[in-house]
């Protein structure tokens, strides 16, 4: 803060006060015409009158010379004339005249804006850093590669950088608003020659906490099951992220359920991210450009999930030259083509992935899938077109399908499809807008025999989104984001056809609307605050039937007292929520900072699954008269510290999250095709807390990270009646509670051609419910369970290795091949997958518990990848 | 239903077996009451016992000396007497359930605890149209694929249970609890496969087709899913199977078991 000086000068000659009036500004003074400095004029006025000036000497150009023409003028006239070429404003308060800089837009500020892209492919770089040398100014590119920086006019050194790329520097004399599009060159292929600089303290300066940003290259340096690069398997290796086991779909973030993550593929929500029961995920690694996981700080433009947002962006397509990329692995073949359609205006990308062998033949090889065939396919496409410098259109689409066919005619199919149309518009140098329309669908179909005839069961959920997002670079200290969205949810929970007769469960429909505003505000050079507010509204509408239940009794099918019919679009139930989002960073010095975050978010869609992991037939349900939205509140505190010129990043984060209305199910709940599903639902409270340690080395021959999480995840279901209560209403560990979770991921570049990777993971076994009693029903021994999740399976640990051999890099050869050899579960550890409680054949009273593992030995694989 | 199909082929994986039985918890002892009344001639039996530790490998401890009676909604009371088998109580041979009536069981233990079941409707069951035994050899074992055909009554919810006996020997392993619902096939003529049974030529197969109320069907479905391959990450949360018995003096007490009522249709086939 600048100190205000008050100068009071009393006597001076050559000036007389002629009339005495109320305001000092109305007084007339006489001055000799001539040239004076501003300081002299002020001194003269003060000396000739009984008032003083108050100003900050470094704001007022005291040495500037001004001409005084008339001899007799009012003070106001003198001041107006002497300050006419400056941005100084004057104002009287009592006997003091205050001189201040004019508020509002400053005439001498300019805006520097543009796009940062990859030099080879023209892909926008998300989160690239723009820094002004020796000044506290900086900007980060948004998800479309756009940046904007408003700074005083002047000569500057500018530094553009992005992880894994060579940084670029410019010396510019900025006099007016300037557009500067910058291309950065990938430095991965030239590791030997160039020192790769990591982002300048981005992790230190960014107010967000609990955000992991991984580039697609990071994923390819990890060893995977069957060698298939998999984004979700990669994400599970981060601290705070876990899974209940191999063969489980999705992932758990900070003790949250898999349905508490919002998974976005080019802004389209993905309701089931699993291929083949979760051993693989729906993301073709060759088309993925950038992956961001928000575990704690949740920007206000995201909503609808209480645990995390997982934002996957597909590549835009190379706009410089035609490229082919692909590979052959054990489970799948991949081929991606990209290239320019119209030079510098339009480019495309098409990706295809398919299993070419029957997956069941080498996975569940115990005979259960012996006569079945299983496989999956993915199709990705993206095209963009620049209408002009300021308007660009993007269209992207995804289509994925899984199928399992069994020899007895049973057939299962499921998959996601989505399409995103985006219009990026640069409204002016500082205002950037993005309008998006999204369609997303998940559906499954099961065919089987029932009563001697084929039965087909099908269900689907569809979402239609319209969004507008604005990024307003108000000033170097303020970045304002605002916008809104409307989502139409259309869920068809079940339709079954038997003997040409079709029966359907009631469709569910809802409108979800939101508005948000967020300001990233630099309080002072050390402190940045991100303040956001999101308002969400949810309207469940007809047509539909809602059962009414006796209020004093448990909700069961026997306590239905009435049914209310709703017409098409008639309002059934509405919910409104305000969701504040706060993130704060305080830098301690150039290499360390403290961060704090608080966020609240509301979730209106819920996965109806009472299994430890979700199955493909588990459907999502919308909040309605009985199913209340889940509300999550999280606070987190973090300390971030970089070492060795920012090559090593480290952090400690503490978090506490509480979720109201988590969904659980009554004992023995039947969820499939149940028209009165509320009779099986329970809602309670979830809480999770813990500490995450993370050390990541981003540059050099050895890269990778070590993560450790100490945490607890619990829930409490305390209903009005014993049958609406779990574990007598006390807290119990959730299915995905892991006390200790350790991950060690690294990659070592031995030479230009050889790269070695190793991952080791260890975690406390997941909670499990073991029988604490038994009884008989006719000849059947029935296990009995008193309380949920009180025991644990044994600890999980595993080591995976992989080696990557790049083909010889000849300058003229465009074909670049590589081989990846991988071994999953190197030391044959039999991690417990499940327990079975069963009767021993031949003895009516003997029972046993059988522990089994999905993967009991080391699984080697070889994958060939190429780029052309 | 769909769920079961899906985990059928996920259940058994690359298994390596090891038993964690020494880590097993031992819960509080609960009272278990199981019984069923049908429209067939008696005796109809009810067993009263308690739970035992899971790895006890012994029959469940029985509760003897209790007073049992079955009531119907017309005020008739049938008392049961303990048979030579301790903890097993039977009605008189002449007691026979009547279609359309509600039945309630009452159990008073020696300690004076009074247990009661929720009233259970004895619903009608359609006849078995045909019972077929299709000879088949599976893994070098000779036997037959057994199936029944029935015509499901239209516009009402029907659930079924089929009990199979071979040469008067009831098949009562967990996998032998065969259940069906007309959820998808209401009002149709349906063929239900009861599965493969090992058998010799001239074996006599008897199939009883029982009507079930929706709660009874849910109960039996839970019993089968709880005793067949629970504990995988694809199975529902392992829980106590809620039944329809409660302690009239202490509704908070957790009581296990079910008292059901069914009408029965029978068919026989000789391989």
């Amino acid at each position: 803060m600048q100190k205000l000086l008050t100068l009071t000068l009393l006597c001076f000659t050559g000036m007389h006060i002629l009339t005495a009036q109320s305001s000092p500004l109305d007084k007339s003074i006489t001055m000799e015409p001539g040239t004076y400095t501003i300081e002299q004029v002020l001194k003269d006025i003060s000396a000739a009158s009984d008032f003083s000036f108050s100003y900050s000497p470094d704001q007022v150009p005291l040495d500037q010379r001004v001409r005084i023409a008339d001899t007799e003028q009012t003070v106001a006239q003198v001041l107006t004339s002497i300050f006419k070429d400056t941005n100084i404003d004057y104002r009287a308060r009592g006997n003091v005249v205050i001189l201040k800089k004019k508020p509002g837009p400053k005439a001498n500020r300019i805006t520097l804006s543009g796009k940062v892209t990859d030099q080879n492919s023209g892909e926008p770089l998300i989160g690239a850093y723009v820094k002004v040398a020796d000044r506290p100014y900086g900007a980060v590119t948004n998800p479309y590669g756009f940046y904007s920086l408003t700074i005083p006019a002047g000569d500057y050194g500018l530094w553009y950088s992005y992880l894994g790329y060579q940084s670029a520097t410019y010396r510019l004399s900025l006099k007016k608003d300037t557009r500067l599009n910058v291309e950065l060159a990938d430095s991965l292929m030239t590791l030997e020659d160039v020192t790769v600089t990591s982002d300048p303290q981005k992790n230190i300066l960014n107010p967000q906490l609990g955000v992991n940003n991984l580039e697609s290259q990071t994923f390819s340096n990890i060893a995977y099951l069957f060698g298939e690069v998999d984004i979700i398997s990669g994400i599970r290796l981060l601290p705070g992220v876990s899974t209940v086991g191999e063969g489980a779909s999705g992932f758990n973030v900070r003790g949250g359920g898999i349905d508490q993550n919002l998974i976005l593929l080019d802004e389209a929500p993905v309701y089931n991210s699993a291929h083949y029961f979760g051993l693989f995920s729906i993301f073709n690694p060759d088309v993925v450009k950038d992956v961001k996981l928000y575990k704690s700080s949740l920007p206000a433009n995201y909503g609808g999930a209480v645990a995390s947002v997982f934002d996957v962006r597909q590549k835009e397509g190379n706009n410089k030259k035609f490229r082919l990329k692909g590979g052959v692995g054990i489970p799948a073949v991949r081929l991606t083509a990209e290239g320019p359609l119209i030079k510098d205006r339009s480019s495309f990308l098409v990706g295809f992935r398919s299993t070419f062998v029957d997956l069941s033949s080498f996975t569940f090889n115990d005979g259960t899938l012996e006569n079945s065939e299983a496989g999956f396919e993915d199709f990705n496409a993206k095209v963009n077109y620049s209408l002009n410098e300021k308007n660009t259109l993007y269209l992207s689409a995804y289509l994925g399908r899984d199928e399992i066919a069994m020899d007895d005619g049973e057939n299962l199919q499921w998959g996601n499809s989505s399409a995103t149309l985006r219009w990026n518009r640069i409204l002016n140098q500082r205002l950037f807008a993005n309008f998006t329309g999204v369609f997303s669908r998940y559906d499954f179909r099961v065919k089987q025999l029932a009563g001697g005839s084929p039965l087909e069961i099908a269900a689907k959920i569809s979402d239609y989104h319209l969004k507008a997002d604005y990024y307003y670079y108000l000033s170097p200290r303020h970045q304002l984001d605002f916008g809104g969205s409307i989502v139409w949810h259309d869920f068809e929970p079940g339709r079954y056809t038997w003997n040409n007769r079709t029966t359907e469960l009631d469709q569910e429909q809802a409108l979800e609307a939101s508005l948000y505003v967020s300001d990233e505000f630099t309080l002072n050079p050390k402190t940045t605050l991100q303040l956001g507010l999101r308002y969400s509204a949810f309207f469940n509408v007809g047509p539909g039937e809602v059962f009414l239940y006796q209020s004093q009794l448990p909700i069961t099918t026997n306590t239905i007292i009435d049914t209310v019919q709703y017409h098409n679009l008639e309002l059934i139930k509405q919910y409104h929520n305000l969701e504040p989002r706060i993130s704060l960073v305080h830098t301690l010095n150039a290499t360390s900072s403290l961060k704090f975050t608080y966020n609240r978010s509301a979730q209106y869609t819920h996965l109806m699954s009472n299994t430890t992991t979700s199955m493909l037939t588990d459907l999502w349900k919308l909040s309605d008269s009985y199913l209340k939205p889940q509300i999550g509140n999280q606070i987190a505190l973090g300390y971030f510290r970089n070492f060795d010129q920012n090559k090593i990043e480290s952090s400690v984060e503490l978090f506490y999250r509480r979720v109201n209305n988590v969904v659980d199910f009554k004992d023995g709940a039947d969820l499939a095709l149940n028209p009165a599903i509320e009779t099986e639902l329970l809602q309670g409270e979830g809480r999770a807390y813990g500490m995450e340690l993370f050390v990541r080395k981003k540059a050099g021959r050895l890269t990778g990270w070590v993560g450790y999480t100490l945490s607890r995840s619990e829930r409490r279901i305390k209903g009005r009646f014993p049958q609406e209560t779990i574990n007598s209403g006390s807290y119990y560990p959730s299915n995905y509670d892991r006390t200790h979770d350790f991950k060690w991921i690294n990659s070592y570049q031995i030479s230009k051609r050889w790269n070695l990777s190793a991952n080791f993971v260890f975690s406390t076994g997941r909670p499990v419910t073991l029988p604490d009693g038994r009884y008989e029903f006719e000849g059947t021994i029935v296990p009995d369970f008193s309380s949920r999740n009180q025991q644990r399976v044994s600890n999980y640990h595993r080591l995976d290795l992989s080696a990557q051999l790049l083909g010889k890099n000849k300058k003229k050869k465009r074909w670049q091949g590589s081989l990846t050899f991988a071994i999953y579960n190197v030391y044959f550890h039999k991690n417990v997958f499940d327990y079975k409680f069963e009767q021993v054949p031949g003895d009516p009273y003997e029972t046993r518990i059988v522990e089994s593992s999905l993967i009991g030995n080391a699984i080697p694989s070889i994958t060939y990848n190429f780029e052309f | 239903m769909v769920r079961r199909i899906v985990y059928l082929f996920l259940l058994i994986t690359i298994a390596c077996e090891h038993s964690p039985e020494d880590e097993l918890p031992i819960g509080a002892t609960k009272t278990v009451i199981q019984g069923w009344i049908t429209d067939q001639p008696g005796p109809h039996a009810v067993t009263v016992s308690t739970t035992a530790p899971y790895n006890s490998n012994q029959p469940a401890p029985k509760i003897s000396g209790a007073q049992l009676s079955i009531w119907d909604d017309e005020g008739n009371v049938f008392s049961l007497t303990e048979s030579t088998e301790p903890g097993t109580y039977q009605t008189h041979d002449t007691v026979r359930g009547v279609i359309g009536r509600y039945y309630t069981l009452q159990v008073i233990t020696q300690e004076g605890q009074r247990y009661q079941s929720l009233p259970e409707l004895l619903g009608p069951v359609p006849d078995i149209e045909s019972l077929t035994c299709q000879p088949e050899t599976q893994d070098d074992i000779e036997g037959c694929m057994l199936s029944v055909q029935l015509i499901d009554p239209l516009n009402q919810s029907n659930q079924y249970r089929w009990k199979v006996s071979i040469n008067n020997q009831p098949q009562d392993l967990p996998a032998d609890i065969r259940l069906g619902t007309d959820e998808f096939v209401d009002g149709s003529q349906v063929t239900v496969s009861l599965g493969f049974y090992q058998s010799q030529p001239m074996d006599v197969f008897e199939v009883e087709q029982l009507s079930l109320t929706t709660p009874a069907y849910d109960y039996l479905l839970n019993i089968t899913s709880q005793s067949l391959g629970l504990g995988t990450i694809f199975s529902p949360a392992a829980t106590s199977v809620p039944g329809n018995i409660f302690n009239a003096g202490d509704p908070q007490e957790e009581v296990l078991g079910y008292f059901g009522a069914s009408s029965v249709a029978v068919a026989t086939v000789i391989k």
Side-chain angles (χ1 to χ4, degrees):
Chain A
M1 281 285 122
Q2 288 167 327
K3 206 169 77 187
L4 286 173
L5 282 184
T6 307
L7 290 178
T8 313
L9 298 161
L10 287 174
C11 14
F12 217 80
T13 49
M15 189 180 289
H16 320 275
I17 303 291
L18 296 177
T19 45
Q21 280 158 5
S22 56
S23 167
L25 297 178
D26 298 332
K27 290 173 182 166
S28 284
I29 54 163
T30 307
M31 275 184 87
E32 297 268 324
T35 304
Y36 302 85
T37 65
I38 287 177
E39 188 173 21
Q40 233 169 346
V41 176
L42 296 178
K43 280 179 179 170
D44 284 2
I45 296 174
S46 289
S49 61
D50 56 351
F51 60 86
S52 57
F53 289 97
S54 165
Y55 56 88
S56 164
D58 54 355
Q59 280 191 2
V60 179
L62 295 171
D63 300 334
Q64 196 170 315
R65 298 188 77 82
V66 286
R67 265 195 72 78
I68 302 289
D70 296 325
T71 50
E72 194 179 320
Q73 298 179 82
T74 63
V75 172
Q77 282 168 330
V78 176
L79 292 178
T80 304
S81 89
I82 65 173
F83 291 133
K84 82 170 182 273
D85 292 332
T86 70
N87 60 347
I88 300 296
D89 205 6
Y90 59 89
R91 170 162 69 86
R93 183 179 284 164
N95 237 13
V96 179
V97 176
I98 300 162
L99 304 178
K100 264 181 108 171
K101 274 191 171 179
K102 279 180 193 154
K106 285 108 195 171
N108 59 346
R109 290 192 162 262
I110 61 93
T111 300
L112 174 71
S113 65
K115 267 193 151 182
V116 181
T117 53
D118 178 306
Q119 194 179 61
N120 297 319
S121 68
E123 288 283 334
L125 298 176
I126 305 170
Y129 217 75
V130 185
K131 254 187 90 73
V132 180
D134 308 322
R135 297 291 181 91
Y137 306 127
V140 177
T141 57
N142 75 5
Y144 315 98
F146 181 82
Y147 73 95
S148 171
L149 187 62
T150 301
I151 47 179
D155 295 341
Y156 294 105
L158 293 164
W159 188 32
Y160 290 77
S161 69
Y162 188 68
L163 176 64
Y165 284 71
Q166 297 172 45
S167 51
T169 50
Y170 293 83
R171 282 222 64 87
L172 290 179
S173 180
L174 296 170
K175 295 263 158 41
K176 57 183 188 349
D177 287 354
T178 307
R179 239 185 112 77
L180 180 61
N181 291 337
V182 172
E183 293 185 333
L184 297 181
D186 190 332
S187 56
L188 289 160
M189 286 306 178
T190 50
L191 204 71
E192 301 277 308
D193 322 320
V194 183
T195 322
V196 179
T197 31
S198 60
D199 302 8
Q201 314 133 24
K202 189 162 130 192
N203 64 318
I204 298 290
L205 300 174
N206 186 338
Q208 290 177 348
L209 184 61
V211 179
N212 292 110
N213 192 356
L214 295 179
E215 306 73 23
S216 64
Q217 182 61 34
T218 312
F219 288 102
S220 55
N221 287 341
I222 297 174
Y224 295 94
L225 178 64
F226 302 117
E228 182 75 2
V229 174
D230 188 79
I231 304 296
I232 287 200
S233 304
I235 278 294
R236 287 170 179 166
L237 297 172
L238 289 168
V241 187
S242 64
T243 171
V244 294
E246 278 124 350
S249 57
F251 52 92
N252 303 97
V253 177
R254 291 189 169 173
I258 64 160
D259 64 326
Q260 293 175 335
N261 305 320
L262 175 66
I263 301 178
L264 297 171
L265 176 64
D266 268 345
E267 305 178 58
V270 174
Y271 282 99
N272 184 341
S273 61
H275 271 321
Y276 200 61
F277 309 108
L279 286 182
F280 309 103
S281 70
I282 64 154
F283 305 105
N284 178 348
D286 292 344
V287 307
V288 171
K289 170 169 140 187
D290 183 88
V291 161
K292 215 166 195 175
L293 179 70
Y294 298 90
K295 298 182 291 191
S296 214
S297 294
L298 200 58
N301 56 324
Y302 295 114
V306 296
S308 80
V309 171
F310 181 54
D311 191 359
V312 180
R313 302 269 170 170
Q314 297 188 64
K315 287 179 190 164
E316 305 296 353
N318 195 317
N319 68 7
K320 310 251 164 170
K321 51 184 180 278
F322 183 80
R323 298 294 297 265
L324 267 181
K325 192 174 180 179
V328 184
I330 291 175
V333 284
R334 284 168 279 117
L335 188 65
T336 301
E338 54 182 322
L341 286 172
I342 306 167
K343 198 178 178 314
D344 290 330
R345 291 198 82 164
S346 176
S347 65
F348 77 98
L349 175 138
V350 209
F352 180 70
R353 176 167 70 147
S354 173
T355 48
F356 65 105
V357 289
D358 172 18
L359 286 180
S360 59
S361 62
F362 64 94
T363 49
F364 302 99
N365 57 356
D366 61 329
T368 42
L369 280 176
E370 202 172 12
N371 296 313
S372 68
E373 278 185 42
F376 62 80
E377 282 176 2
D378 286 316
F379 176 73
N380 302 68
K382 200 156 178 179
V383 59
N384 63 70
Y385 180 71
S386 293
L387 300 166
N388 51 42
E389 176 79 340
K390 291 192 167 166
N391 292 284
T392 310
L393 289 175
Y394 299 84
L395 179 67
S396 76
Y398 169 80
L399 187 66
R401 223 59 209 155
D402 266 69
E403 183 168 5
I404 295 173
M406 285 182 283
D407 62 340
D408 62 359
E410 285 187 11
N411 180 291
L412 297 100
Q413 279 190 33
W414 71 97
N416 295 277
S417 42
S418 70
T420 307
L421 178 64
R422 227 164 59 196
W423 173 26
N424 275 6
R425 184 166 162 76
I426 298 169
L427 292 158
N428 64 44
Q429 294 271 357
R430 289 189 280 153
L431 185 59
F432 180 88
N434 187 50
F435 307 100
T436 317
V438 172
F439 161 76
S440 171
R441 169 172 290 169
Y442 173 69
D443 68 296
F444 74 78
R445 203 198 61 192
V446 178
K447 278 184 183 166
Q448 61 185 90
L449 278 180
S453 300
L455 166 71
E456 184 182 303
I457 301 172
K460 68 179 172 205
I461 50 188
S462 314
D463 270 3
Y464 306 85
H465 295 231
L466 281 178
K467 291 200 302 171
D469 298 290
Y470 291 86
Y471 304 79
Y472 185 34
Y473 300 86
L474 195 60
S475 73
R477 291 173 67 194
H478 286 277
Q479 187 193 324
L480 210 60
D481 294 349
F482 55 92
S485 70
I486 290 176
V487 185
W488 177 251
H489 297 286
D490 183 353
F491 288 15
E492 291 171 35
R495 176 172 53 82
Y496 47 88
T497 310
W498 187 80
N499 267 359
N500 300 320
R501 212 170 60 195
T502 298
T503 316
E504 265 179 274
L505 289 187
D506 274 351
Q507 192 176 334
E508 295 176 43
Q509 297 190 127
L511 182 78
E512 190 179 337
S514 67
L515 286 173
Y516 71 88
V517 58
S518 157
D519 183 13
E520 189 169 322
F521 175 49
T522 311
L523 289 173
N524 59 51
K526 282 187 173 300
T527 313
T528 301
L529 181 66
Q530 200 179 54
L531 215 55
L533 184 66
R534 182 183 177 86
Y535 162 71
S536 62
F538 183 84
F539 307 92
N540 188 311
V541 296
E545 261 186 357
V546 174
F547 298 119
L548 298 182
Y549 298 86
Q550 263 171 282
S551 58
Q552 296 308 313
L553 289 173
I555 292 183
T556 70
T557 45
N558 295 326
T559 56
I560 296 178
I561 50 171
D562 202 0
T563 307
V564 184
Q565 295 285 347
Y566 289 89
H567 308 296
N568 194 18
L569 301 181
E570 190 181 352
L571 181 67
I572 297 176
K573 183 77 185 171
Q574 56 179 312
Y575 294 99
H576 300 267
N577 280 293
L578 275 180
E579 307 168 26
R581 313 275 168 85
I582 299 164
S583 290
L584 180 76
V585 60
H586 181 74
T587 46
L588 301 168
N589 54 46
T591 56
S592 65
S593 64
L594 274 176
K595 300 185 190 185
F596 167 81
T597 190
Y598 164 74
N599 80 63
R600 169 193 281 252
S601 69
Q603 180 171 340
Y604 301 100
T605 53
H606 319 269
L607 183 64
M608 295 292 106
S609 168
N610 62 344
T611 51
T612 305
T613 181
S614 145
M615 313 217 311
L616 65 104
T617 51
D618 289 333
L619 266 188
W620 291 71
K621 186 171 168 57
L622 297 166
S623 280
D624 61 17
S625 309
Y626 298 99
L627 184 56
K628 287 178 281 220
Q630 300 183 54
I631 309 289
N633 283 286
Q634 185 179 181
I635 51 166
L637 194 65
Y639 173 71
F640 289 72
R641 170 90 203 260
N642 286 2
F643 298 95
D644 194 13
Q645 288 155 350
N646 299 320
K647 281 183 195 139
I648 296 172
E649 297 178 354
S650 68
S651 60
V652 188
E653 297 184 28
L654 301 172
F655 69 92
Y656 181 88
R657 184 179 55 227
R658 200 183 169 97
V659 180
N660 293 332
N661 307 327
V662 290
V663 182
D664 216 312
F665 303 90
K666 285 181 187 170
D667 288 357
D670 180 16
L671 304 176
L673 300 170
N674 188 338
I677 205 163
E678 59 268 16
T679 61
E680 308 282 17
L681 293 179
L682 299 173
Q683 287 194 289
E685 198 177 278
R687 66 177 184 194
Y689 48 91
M691 177 192 69
E692 287 171 14
L693 298 176
F694 188 49
V695 180
R696 184 176 181 193
K697 188 169 180 295
K698 296 175 89 169
R701 282 169 169 258
L702 179 71
T703 55
W705 66 83
V706 180
Y708 169 73
T709 311
L710 175 69
S711 67
R712 192 151 177 79
S713 162
E714 298 172 313
R715 32 180 61 193
R716 182 168 71 174
I717 312 289
K718 200 173 180 177
R720 295 175 303 161
F721 305 97
Q723 53 270 62
E724 294 179 352
T725 292
I726 296 174
N727 286 12
S728 29
S730 45
Y731 276 105
Y732 63 96
S734 69
N735 290 335
Y736 23 83
D737 177 48
R738 306 268 197 190
T739 314
H740 304 281
D741 185 53
F742 175 80
K743 279 133 184 177
W744 180 68
I745 313 303
N746 53 61
S747 169
Y748 186 69
Q749 183 93 42
I750 297 178
S751 66
K752 274 190 176 178
R753 295 187 60 200
W754 280 99
N755 187 65
L756 281 185
S757 301
N759 344 324
F760 174 74
V761 292
F762 171 91
S763 66
T764 309
R766 68 178 168 92
V768 68
T769 307
L770 292 180
D772 64 351
R774 67 175 221 182
Y775 56 98
E776 289 142 36
F777 176 84
E778 296 171 5
T780 299
I781 304 288
V782 187
D784 191 44
F785 309 87
S786 296
S787 43
R788 280 193 204 175
N789 287 352
Q790 297 302 303
Q791 289 80 35
R792 285 180 185 275
V793 305
S794 47
N795 293 334
Y796 185 101
H797 49 96
R798 195 187 81 225
L799 174 72
D800 312 321
L801 294 175
S802 80
Q804 204 177 5
L805 172 65
L806 292 177
K808 280 191 183 136
N809 191 6
K810 286 179 190 151
K811 285 256 157 68
K812 288 198 175 154
K813 210 173 74 173
R814 284 187 67 192
W815 186 274
Q816 177 77 45
S818 74
L819 275 173
T820 304
F821 308 91
I823 305 173
Y824 188 85
N825 193 21
V826 170
Y827 56 87
F828 286 68
H829 187 247
K830 292 172 170 53
N831 283 306
V832 176
F833 174 65
D834 65 39
Y835 290 118
K836 268 195 302 169
F837 320 117
E838 59 179 35
Q839 272 171 270
V840 178
D843 182 330
Y845 295 111
E846 206 184 326
T847 50
R848 65 182 174 200
I849 294 184
V850 180
E851 206 176 71
S852 63
S853 302
L854 181 65
I855 289 159
N857 36 29
I859 297 184
S861 65
I862 177 165
T863 311
Y864 178 73
N865 289 311
F866 66 88
E867 275 184 71
F868 177 75
Chain B
M1 188 167 186
V2 180
R3 187 179 304 276
R4 265 188 305 154
I5 302 156
V6 177
Y7 46 80
L8 241 174
F9 49 91
L10 287 167
L11 271 184
I12 316 151
T13 55
I14 306 167
C16 36
E17 301 188 356
H18 145 101
S19 293
E21 284 182 31
D22 40 330
E23 302 153 22
L24 273 188
I26 295 176
T29 304
K30 299 174 192 169
T31 302
V32 185
I33 298 170
Q34 301 283 12
W36 220 272
I37 186 167
T38 68
D39 64 348
Q40 301 295 301
H44 305 284
V46 176
T47 58
V48 185
S49 66
T50 66
T51 53
Y54 185 71
N55 51 7
S56 63
N57 293 339
Q58 295 292 323
K62 300 295 185 291
I63 295 179
S64 271
Q67 289 174 8
L68 276 75
S69 50
I70 295 170
W71 306 54
D72 71 13
D73 56 347
E74 296 199 347
N76 302 306
V77 183
F78 313 100
S79 60
L80 290 84
T81 49
E82 193 162 4
S83 72
T84 49
E85 178 88 31
T88 299
Y89 303 81
Q90 293 180 326
T91 63
H92 198 268
D93 297 358
T94 57
V95 174
R96 202 167 171 161
V98 177
I99 292 173
R101 286 195 189 160
Y102 284 86
Y103 290 90
T104 306
L105 172 73
Q106 181 180 275
V107 176
I108 301 171
T109 63
Q110 276 183 323
E111 291 79 35
Q113 297 292 336
R114 191 161 65 88
Y115 296 101
Q116 222 175 293
S117 69
L118 293 172
E120 182 84 348
L121 174 69
L122 197 155
V125 73
D127 287 336
I128 295 175
E129 296 290 307
S130 69
L131 170 67
T132 50
C133 169
Q134 183 68 44
E136 216 178 283
T137 306
Q138 284 192 0
D139 299 328
D140 298 328
I141 296 168
E142 283 206 19
C144 71
M145 284 299 287
L146 203 61
S147 57
V148 289
Q149 219 171 50
L150 66 133
I151 299 171
D152 179 72
L154 189 62
N155 291 332
Q156 62 185 62
S157 154
N158 295 95
Q159 289 82 31
Y160 303 93
R161 177 182 176 190
W162 293 275
K163 287 180 168 180
V164 178
S165 312
I166 304 173
N167 302 328
N168 286 324
Q169 195 61 45
Q171 307 293 302
D172 61 359
L173 286 172
D176 295 315
I177 301 176
R178 305 276 177 185
L179 302 169
T181 169
D182 68 349
E183 192 176 356
F184 306 115
V185 298
D186 183 37
S188 315
Q189 170 160 337
V190 288
T191 306
V192 181
S193 170
L194 300 180
F196 177 80
Y197 284 91
Q198 183 179 0
S199 62
Q200 309 298 321
M202 299 313 287
D203 277 349
V204 180
F205 285 84
E206 188 190 79
V207 170
E208 286 181 282
Q209 176 167 291
L210 286 80
S211 63
L212 295 178
T213 59
T214 308
Y217 172 78
D218 289 343
Y219 179 77
L220 292 173
L221 195 63
N222 274 326
I223 287 285
T224 54
S225 66
Q226 209 73 316
S227 48
L228 284 172
L230 252 190
T232 79
I233 58 173
F234 299 105
S235 18
T239 58
S240 245
V241 180
N244 69 345
I245 319 266
F246 60 97
N247 184 333
D250 176 13
Q252 300 293 319
E253 184 186 328
E254 227 184 301
V255 188
L256 298 170
Y258 201 89
F259 179 70
S262 299
S263 55
V264 183
V266 188
T268 317
V269 69
I270 298 169
K271 189 193 174 187

